[in-house]
Amino acid sequence: MSAITDQVQAMETQAAQFRWKLEAQRYVGILMAAVIYAIGFNFFLAPLHLYAGGFMGFAQLIAEQLKRITGFHFWDLELPGIIYYLMNVPWLIMGYRMMRRRFIFKTFLAITLISLLMTLVPVMEKPILDEKIANALFGGLMCGVGLGLILRMGACDGGMNIIGMIVLQKGYPISVGQINILANVLLFSYCLFVYDVSIVIYSLVFTTIQSLMIDKVHAQNINVRVIIVTSSKDCATLELEIMGQLGRGITKWPGVGAYSGQEKTVLMVIASKYEVPKIRAIIHEIDPNAFVTIDEGVSVVGNFLKKLT
């Protein structure tokens, strides 16, 4: 009995160390993502006087109007980052009361880093690339990768995304995507009346590429089906580790090898692509001889938890 207890404690300690290591990697990932976003924005988008979607686009408009009305350059600081931060504060406070603390803390860190880096990283006087369309495409690619990495690390960039999550928590029949679309329609409609049409077109190109890259990088959006075929007589440890570390349910049924006639147990787990490395690590540690298949992009209908953290 003592040996079993020691084994369980050792597994719990190992699992805790794994979680701490994973969290440390996520914080480093958020920092790298914020750097990528700030460079993509200040090096490619801002020199062309184009506008991002969502909160950042509104922050750009407010900053431009402040400079135009006051004529003051605010010690040569880049104002959009500061205004973006201030716009997010009330929504972070509201989210703190409604959402998981870990998610809100990492979101706060991501917003702080983005705002700080955008304020400190100088805007290029001239675009790096010769063609406007090339700058819009490459800027959208970099910013999309940055924001997608932030989502992948279990946080979000604030703005319309966190508003959408709060609205969903309140039970209103509107999605995060619909809120983003509504905000961008208002933003670009204003730009269309005030600025040249080409500015709106190139801004839309940037926003579209950014959105596509976010979806490509954000692996939590991709559902996977993991099938585990094991010859082990006792699958309890494997099942408990997957359910305990991932919080995912498991469906299992008995099977028989058609060639060998050996009895098998088949386990099926539906998870996000981001959770696959954890599942692989657990299987490799407990049952390295198990046969595993992984299918990406499966459609899930029913009670399936979408996770950000």
Side-chain angles (χ1 to χ4, degrees):
M1 188 69 180
S2 177
I4 296 174
T5 304
D6 291 342
Q7 185 179 5
V8 171
Q9 289 177 345
M11 290 177 64
E12 289 177 348
T13 302
Q14 189 173 8
Q17 291 174 347
F18 176 80
R19 286 193 293 269
W20 278 107
K21 183 179 179 181
L22 185 63
E23 281 299 295
Q25 291 174 347
R26 285 177 173 176
Y27 286 118
V28 173
I30 290 172
L31 173 60
M32 292 174 57
V35 171
I36 292 170
Y37 181 85
I39 292 174
F41 194 96
N42 285 1
F43 281 26
F44 294 95
L45 186 75
L48 295 174
H49 303 288
L50 302 181
Y51 293 90
F55 263 32
M56 190 59 75
F58 286 108
Q60 288 176 274
L61 286 175
I62 294 170
E64 186 176 284
Q65 294 302 316
L66 276 174
K67 287 185 177 181
R68 185 181 65 82
I69 294 169
T70 63
F72 188 57
H73 291 282
F74 299 93
W75 303 281
D76 293 326
L77 291 175
E78 299 302 328
L79 285 182
I82 298 172
I83 295 170
Y84 176 76
Y85 186 85
L86 295 175
M87 290 172 68
N88 274 290
V89 168
W91 299 103
L92 281 171
I93 294 171
M94 191 178 298
Y96 180 81
R97 299 172 182 171
M98 302 173 61
M99 298 178 185
R100 296 174 65 183
R101 300 291 185 265
R102 183 173 59 176
F103 170 73
I104 288 296
F105 178 76
K106 286 193 283 191
T107 297
F108 170 76
L109 176 65
I111 293 170
T112 301
L113 288 172
I114 287 174
S115 302
L116 184 63
L117 288 167
M118 283 190 60
T119 304
L120 297 180
V121 173
V123 172
M124 301 291 288
E125 292 184 5
K126 294 182 179 180
I128 292 180
L129 304 175
D130 294 331
E131 297 291 334
K132 273 190 175 183
I133 188 68
N135 283 279
L137 290 171
F138 200 79
L141 188 147
M142 286 193 69
C143 290
V145 168
L147 296 182
L149 280 174
I150 287 173
L151 289 169
R152 189 162 180 167
M153 296 302 109
C156 86
D157 60 310
M160 304 311 302
N161 289 331
I162 197 166
I163 291 176
M165 292 175 192
I166 291 171
V167 168
L168 286 175
Q169 290 277 350
K170 291 285 188 180
Y172 294 107
I174 188 170
S175 68
V176 177
Q178 289 170 334
I179 291 174
N180 271 291
I181 290 171
L182 178 61
N184 286 335
V185 166
L186 293 173
L187 174 68
F188 290 120
S189 295
Y190 173 82
C191 291
L192 191 62
F193 284 106
V194 175
Y195 303 108
D196 188 77
V197 176
S198 64
I199 290 178
V200 177
I201 292 173
Y202 288 122
S203 297
L204 286 171
V205 169
F206 168 86
T207 304
T208 302
I209 297 299
Q210 176 181 266
S211 299
L212 291 172
M213 289 308 302
I214 288 172
D215 281 341
K216 289 293 183 182
V217 177
H218 184 206
Q220 285 96 325
N221 279 335
I222 303 172
N223 299 325
V224 298
R225 177 177 57 219
V226 182
I227 302 292
I228 307 162
V229 182
T230 175
S231 302
S232 175
K233 298 297 183 183
D234 183 13
C235 302
T237 303
L238 181 60
E239 294 167 19
L240 288 172
E241 283 298 307
I242 292 175
M243 290 188 290
Q245 290 194 36
L246 274 72
R248 295 296 188 187
I250 298 174
T251 301
K252 69 175 182 178
W253 57 89
V256 178
Y259 177 76
S260 65
Q262 185 179 8
E263 292 185 356
K264 308 278 186 180
T265 301
V266 182
L267 309 176
M268 182 180 73
V269 185
I270 303 296
S272 72
K273 185 178 178 181
Y274 183 66
E275 293 170 312
V276 169
K278 293 188 202 175
I279 296 175
R280 281 178 169 166
I282 292 169
I283 296 169
H284 179 74
E285 180 183 347
I286 297 173
D287 189 1
N289 295 318
F291 179 79
V292 183
T293 65
I294 301 171
D295 299 316
E296 289 187 12
V298 295
S299 178
V300 180
V301 178
N303 187 22
F304 178 70
L305 178 64
K306 286 280 189 179
K307 296 181 179 179
L308 277 173
T309 59

